[in-house]
Amino acid sequence: MTQNTVAAPPASSSEATAPVLDREETISRDELEALQLTRLQHTVAYAYDRVPLYKRKFDEVGVHPTDLRELSDLGKFPYTTKEDLRLEYPFGMFAVPQDQVARIHASSGTTGRPTVVGYTKNDLANWATLVARSFRASGVRPGMKVHNAYGYGLFTGGLGAHAGAEALGCTVIPISGGQTERQIQLIQDFKPDAILATPTYLLTIADAMQHQGIDPTSTSLKYAVLGAEPWTEEMRHELETTMNIKASDIYGLSEVMGPGVAGEAVETQDGCHIWEDHFRPEIIDPFDHSTVLADGEPGELVFTSLTKEALPIIRYRTKDLTRLLPGTARPAHRRMGRITGRSDDMIILRGVNLFPSQIEEIALRIPELSPHFQLEITRPEGKRMDSLTVKIERRENVPSEAGTTAAHTLREQIKIHVGSSCVVDVVEPGSLERSNGKLRRIYDMRPKG
Ligand code: DLL
């Protein structure tokens, strides 16, 4: 746990007092890398000694913890995948006896067994510190009221965000996800300063407010810390203007910790800083599986934990596609670019790769179209080619003829920017399913098998 703190410059000129930062947020890159090496050497040896899977995998490729002499030696060690965690279900990855596991979380997963993760008391304390650090970077301050609309339960979002907000010294309103009417009532009655939610769920809340005749710009909310699913700059603009808030990104995944692996600074809004005193990131080529790419190059994000006790994780392949960028608001900690998508969420349409976030980006530049859309992939009878239909709602008060013109524009823009032909179906406002948390964008209707 971080004890030493240091004052940082104010996030904006209107701010009276500078927030107090963790010492690790302000150290130099050299100091940070020295810390990483010590922690990495410890973690690799600890995982090898305590988790049979790591011993087996290291032995198979003939690598030993003592081979890790400098940070770049990490590349000699084997990757860990979600499949490894599934095979070790439920507790095979734990490095401590069960009576030292203070909490268990699990990710639902669309198929098969869930992935189970565990935390010691120290892990929970570190997690809370990092979530608090992320929230503070995003503008949240001690004493603020925070409306937490991430789902509570086995999902790491609710309880992870809750503990972080408490650690920062906020008043937490633990509403969880869903029951949108009630959320709106409590936002009006409790007057929170900040909201924590997935971007699409915040959109659901804003939309429902408008339907109730409540002006979403009139609430007490000033900050939103949004994550758990991909979102674009266009979506940020949409949410910031619709709700009159500052919206920042927060990233994380259960296998590595949960929310707060990386967080975005509100004053720069230029991507999440990865908290590198606790996680060592790498970018690899997602297809050849072995090449570690240079900073700035796009690829798959891989993480190694540096302090975790219950579930040390070595070179975990996230499947998230992004790139590493130099630190800005926290200079020693590298940033990650926005996640363009997950390698397993990529639609391959007649040889062209496509992600839902590309459609979001293009559609939100067309004024008649709303951010509510879904993608349907079909294989029409008798055809050998797949077909993509973009179903998207036109905005309220846009007549259906204008919607037809917008459909034409969207189809053209997708052809130009993505290189793929598709069908665009502009539908009635309010007709598509709304998000309650992580929104499903892709509906694969192709015949199975
Ligand atoms: O979604 C943890 C979380 C909760 C993060 C609340 C932020 C806020 P999982 O359920 O394990 O954990 O899902 C992790 O969600 O690998 C990404 O694909 C995606 N994801 C998470 N944050 C972002 C983000 C939580 N800011 C998976 N941008 C990750 C894009 C994100 N994708």
Side-chain angles (χ1 to χ4, degrees):
M1 265 270 285
T2 307
Q3 298 298 343
N4 301 330
T5 51
V6 71
S12 76
S13 52
S14 60
E15 216 178 273
T17 49
V20 177
L21 301 189
D22 297 338
R23 202 190 82 78
E24 291 82 356
E25 287 179 88
T26 60
I27 58 180
S28 69
R29 182 75 201 170
D30 285 350
E31 213 183 329
L32 180 64
E33 288 194 349
L35 181 69
Q36 284 188 328
L37 182 59
T38 317
R39 290 182 169 180
L40 194 56
Q41 285 168 328
H42 166 78
T43 298
V44 168
Y46 176 89
Y48 184 80
D49 291 343
R50 289 174 176 239
V51 183
L53 173 115
Y54 286 122
K55 178 161 178 12
R56 204 167 57 237
K57 289 189 111 182
F58 291 9
D59 288 350
E60 260 166 32
V61 295
V63 68
H64 189 267
T66 49
D67 294 331
L68 204 142
R69 289 186 204 93
E70 48 191 81
L71 286 172
S72 61
D73 289 333
L74 183 58
K76 298 176 184 159
F77 288 79
Y79 296 116
T80 308
T81 62
K82 201 176 186 79
E83 193 50 30
D84 290 325
L85 269 68
R86 287 225 173 95
L87 291 173
E88 296 299 319
Y89 177 87
F91 304 140
M93 296 295 289
F94 289 8
V96 295
Q98 182 258 302
D99 64 357
Q100 287 174 41
V101 178
R103 182 148 8 117
I104 285 168
H105 279 283
S107 77
S108 51
T110 42
T111 50
R113 297 161 167 179
T115 321
V116 179
V117 294
Y119 305 79
T120 63
K121 282 197 167 148
N122 284 338
D123 292 335
L124 291 177
N126 281 333
W127 185 12
T129 299
L130 295 185
V131 176
R133 192 190 281 181
S134 306
F135 289 165
R136 186 178 51 223
S138 301
V140 183
R141 293 286 174 271
M144 282 188 179
K145 278 173 279 176
V146 172
H147 180 105
N148 185 14
Y150 286 119
Y152 281 64
L154 286 174
F155 173 52
T156 52
L159 285 163
H162 182 108
E166 275 188 358
L168 184 57
C170 300
T171 307
V172 191
I173 302 158
I175 177 107
S176 190
Q179 294 189 285
T180 307
E181 311 276 288
R182 204 157 149 252
Q183 307 253 358
I184 295 173
Q185 187 67 50
L186 293 193
I187 290 171
Q188 291 193 293
D189 296 345
F190 293 179
K191 303 195 174 3
D193 305 277
I195 186 163
L196 319 172
T198 63
T200 57
Y201 189 54
L202 188 57
L203 199 62
T204 300
I205 293 177
D207 205 45
M209 281 181 178
Q210 277 161 337
H211 277 105
Q212 288 182 27
I214 300 166
D215 175 5
T217 61
S218 70
T219 73
S220 55
L221 291 169
K222 291 186 278 294
Y223 299 99
V225 192
L226 311 175
E229 60 183 1
W231 58 305
T232 57
E233 280 308 311
E234 285 71 16
M235 182 70 106
R236 186 193 325 255
H237 178 73
E238 171 83 21
L239 289 166
E240 289 195 337
T241 49
T242 311
M243 300 204 71
N244 189 25
I245 50 166
K246 286 300 241 178
S248 304
D249 200 3
I250 183 165
Y251 170 86
L253 64 166
S254 24
E255 293 84 354
V256 173
M257 182 178 77
V261 171
E264 187 174 45
V266 68
E267 68 270 32
T268 46
Q269 289 194 325
D270 56 357
C272 292
H273 280 89
I274 297 168
W275 304 127
E276 287 203 61
D277 46 332
H278 292 269
F279 309 102
R280 172 81 184 172
E282 296 168 278
I283 295 285
I284 64 161
D285 183 323
F287 303 110
D288 86 353
H289 312 294
S290 58
T291 315
V292 177
L293 301 175
D295 286 6
E297 302 237 18
E300 179 181 343
L301 188 55
V302 167
F303 279 111
T304 301
S305 67
L306 303 176
T307 53
K308 282 175 71 190
E309 295 177 340
L311 195 113
I313 195 106
I314 312 291
R315 305 195 84 202
Y316 183 71
R317 292 189 57 169
T318 65
K319 299 202 166 159
D320 291 326
L321 302 174
T322 183
R323 58 207 177 106
L324 292 176
L325 300 164
T328 50
R330 303 290 180 274
H333 299 259
R334 280 173 290 177
R335 285 169 302 137
M336 50 193 273
R338 269 199 192 274
I339 306 275
T340 43
R342 293 177 55 79
S343 55
D344 52 4
D345 240 10
M346 186 168 78
I347 302 170
I348 305 175
L349 199 67
R350 283 169 249 127
V352 176
N353 301 343
L354 183 148
F355 291 103
S357 59
Q358 289 171 286
I359 306 291
E360 181 176 296
E361 201 175 304
I362 298 168
L364 279 178
R365 291 191 202 133
I366 303 171
E368 292 80 12
L369 299 179
S370 80
H372 304 287
F373 72 92
Q374 65 190 39
L375 307 178
E376 285 180 10
I377 311 165
T378 51
R379 179 160 305 166
E381 277 229 27
K383 296 255 168 84
R384 281 166 51 216
M385 300 283 213
D386 293 336
S387 166
L388 172 72
T389 303
V390 181
K391 283 195 172 164
I392 184 159
E393 290 178 16
R394 61 175 191 271
R395 290 195 190 262
E396 301 274 353
N397 309 323
V398 169
S400 75
E401 311 79 69
T404 311
T405 315
H408 186 73
T409 312
L410 180 57
R411 200 171 50 237
E412 296 273 286
Q413 291 294 311
I414 293 173
K415 179 85 192 141
I416 294 167
H417 295 289
V418 183
S420 214
S421 301
C422 63
V423 176
V424 175
D425 190 1
V426 173
V427 298
E428 291 289 313
S431 61
L432 296 180
E433 201 178 315
R434 291 292 183 264
S435 166
N436 254 337
K438 291 183 191 245
L439 179 65
R440 180 172 161 203
R441 290 277 193 206
I442 302 173
Y443 289 78
D444 190 343
M445 332 279 246
R446 286 174 293 192
K448 298 275 171 294

